[in-house]
Amino acid sequence: MKNASPFIIVGQGLAGTILAHHFLEAGIPLVIYDSPETHFTSSKAAGGIFNPVTGRKLEKTWLAEDLFPYLVDFYSRLEATLGASFFYPMPLFRPFANVEIKTWLMDRKETIDHAFLRWEAEGVWVEQAGWVDVVKLLQVSRLYFIEKGLLKTETYTGHEAIFCEGFHGQKNPLWASLPFLPAKGELMEIQSDEPSEDYILNKNGFILPLGGKQFKVGATYSWKEFTNEITSESREALEDKLKGMGVEAYEFISQKTGVRPATQDRRPFVGFRPDGKAGIFNGFGSKGVSLSPFFAKQWTQEILGKAEVNSEASIRRFYHLFSV
Ligand SMILES: Cc1cc2nc3c(=O)[nH]c(=O)nc-3n(C[C@H](O)[C@H](O)[C@H](O)COP(=O)(O)OP(=O)(O)OC[C@H]3O[C@@H](n4cnc5c(N)ncnc54)[C@H](O)[C@@H]3O)c2cc1C
């Protein structure tokens, strides 16, 4: 596989799209199979947010110092290549949830503080955040791949490819032994005069301004079933989140759903099986926008013999699970 040409990439969701662009930049030949009719594309439901700060303790996300400068560089370059706009750096505000949490965080400010945070009386501003319009990115990329004759809208049934199948990958016998832990998610789009259009609000959920007084509101997590059906429970949960962020008056536009390809150790699956015949680029969970460019770059460099994929993301950590 490693010496065969061209590489077959299975899936034109966010992961397959980002990997394909890196292969093209590096001059590695490829063809893409994508079949949203038989395997729905979760990327189309993504909020698209990139945010280097996580959790109650406002910690830096894993590899933030590497991921965030690279994603700015990559998405800006890709906008120029594709002649389209889909990358929107934007401030993100995290209000303190209540007085106790504010006091708790302020008491530890010196130990918590890092370059991605800017403290204010009512909360913290997160630097280097923003969002990617993933639907647009996938659409313009699809046209670009079609123009180059690289896309087949067919289900792939072979075994010698690089699989970017999202959560569908857990049903592929090649990868069934990997510890996937998918999480269904839903969000809604609304029209309202109330939220600010200048920043992303993040308080037990998010309100993301799309322009024209339209917003995305997200997101739910559920592990009960993995269909692409929207649910009334999620609609209620999203309405509660919106209320919790202080929005009362709005018009509902739509609700969307997808399944995050999350993993038990919260790290991606990147690399070839031990025999080198099939590869995987998957497991980006709820952070596909920020993780996939960096790991697409690392894996491309590994294929060219110039670098190695980070050992926490490489599927070499699971080689003991593959039967010979
Ligand atoms: C509600 C929600 C909100 C989210 N918000 C964010 C966010 O704000 N920021 C963020 O970074 N991430 C977010 N995510 C996560 C993000 O969507 C994922 O990390 C990312 O989209 C995963 O992309 P993927 O390409 O791995 O999977 P998918 O998008 O599912 O793509 C897989 C593709 O493979 C194709 N396919 C599968 N099997 C085959 C086959 N055998 N033959 C042919 N084609 C095949 C499918 O048709 C599909 O197009 C969110 C997810 C959800 C559900």
Side-chain angles (χ1 to χ4, degrees):
M1 172 75 202
K2 280 179 198 165
N3 300 318
S5 153
F7 280 96
I8 295 170
I9 291 181
V10 182
Q12 198 239 317
L14 187 61
T17 299
I18 300 289
L19 187 65
H21 283 302
H22 278 81
F23 279 12
L24 285 173
E25 276 186 356
I28 299 174
L30 64 102
V31 60
I32 305 166
Y33 282 71
D34 187 56
S35 176
E37 289 73 25
T38 56
H39 299 75
F40 63 90
T41 311
S42 293
S43 301
K44 290 180 184 160
I49 295 173
F50 51 94
N51 172 6
V53 172
T54 186
R56 289 174 169 230
K57 294 185 195 161
L58 303 174
E59 284 163 322
K60 279 184 273 187
T61 57
W62 179 56
L63 300 179
E65 273 107 354
D66 297 321
L67 301 182
F68 285 77
Y70 182 66
L71 74 80
V72 173
D73 175 48
F74 170 71
Y75 286 117
S76 310
R77 200 166 69 235
L78 191 58
E79 281 190 325
T81 305
L82 298 175
S85 301
F86 44 76
F87 178 57
Y88 301 102
M90 184 178 275
L92 182 147
F93 187 61
R94 277 188 56 161
F96 298 125
N98 53 46
V99 178
E100 287 75 36
I101 289 181
K102 176 177 175 175
T103 311
W104 192 89
L105 286 168
M106 285 312 223
D107 287 349
R108 287 159 186 78
K109 187 176 166 193
E110 302 243 309
T111 46
I112 291 174
D113 206 20
H114 51 76
F116 295 104
L117 292 178
R118 193 155 51 77
W119 298 75
E120 275 203 2
E122 298 311 320
V124 289
W125 287 98
V126 176
E127 310 279 352
Q128 295 187 44
W131 69 289
V132 169
D133 184 339
V134 176
V135 171
K136 178 92 171 281
L137 164 61
L138 296 191
Q139 272 169 356
V140 290
S141 295
R142 198 171 187 83
L143 294 176
Y144 183 75
F145 298 142
I146 289 171
E147 249 172 45
K148 291 185 175 292
L150 300 176
L151 188 86
K152 291 181 192 285
T153 48
E154 289 168 32
T155 307
Y156 181 77
T157 51
H159 308 286
E160 302 204 353
I162 292 177
F163 291 88
C164 312
E165 298 169 293
F167 91 103
H168 304 286
Q170 68 174 356
K171 296 222 178 87
N172 183 333
L174 283 167
W175 313 112
S177 59
L178 291 179
F180 280 94
L181 186 62
K184 181 167 175 170
E186 297 187 47
L187 56 72
M188 62 179 182
E189 292 186 4
I190 60 159
Q191 176 101 28
S192 175
D193 289 329
E194 294 186 11
S196 168
E197 297 204 87
D198 298 332
Y199 59 89
I200 301 164
L201 182 64
N202 180 197
K203 186 183 174 194
N204 187 30
F206 62 79
I207 301 179
L208 164 66
L210 302 172
K213 309 238 166 183
Q214 296 198 351
F215 300 86
K216 280 190 193 184
V217 181
T220 62
Y221 282 78
S222 153
W223 294 265
K224 273 192 288 193
E225 47 82 16
F226 301 119
T227 64
N228 60 345
E229 304 291 324
I230 56 168
T231 63
S232 52
E233 294 100 289
S234 291
R235 169 86 180 259
E236 278 169 33
L238 292 164
E239 285 170 352
D240 286 349
K241 282 182 190 293
L242 197 51
K243 220 179 249 174
M245 288 184 275
V247 177
E248 297 287 338
Y250 63 91
E251 203 179 301
F252 172 83
I253 300 176
S254 65
Q255 188 173 338
K256 292 184 175 169
T257 185
V259 181
R260 303 170 182 91
T263 67
Q264 286 177 23
D265 65 1
R266 293 162 173 250
R267 297 291 179 256
F269 299 147
V270 180
F272 289 100
R273 282 175 62 96
D275 64 8
K277 290 188 178 156
I280 187 164
F281 191 66
N282 202 333
F284 295 105
S286 56
K287 296 190 165 62
V289 168
S290 51
L291 290 172
S292 59
F294 181 75
F295 286 107
K297 179 183 76 167
Q298 273 204 340
W299 199 20
T300 303
Q301 288 184 339
E302 184 175 289
I303 289 167
L304 296 173
K306 292 183 183 166
E308 270 202 4
V309 172
N310 181 303
S311 59
E312 285 184 73
S314 169
I315 59 155
R316 291 194 184 93
R317 73 194 189 279
F318 296 119
Y319 271 7
H320 58 284
L321 300 178
F322 294 113
S323 50
V324 261

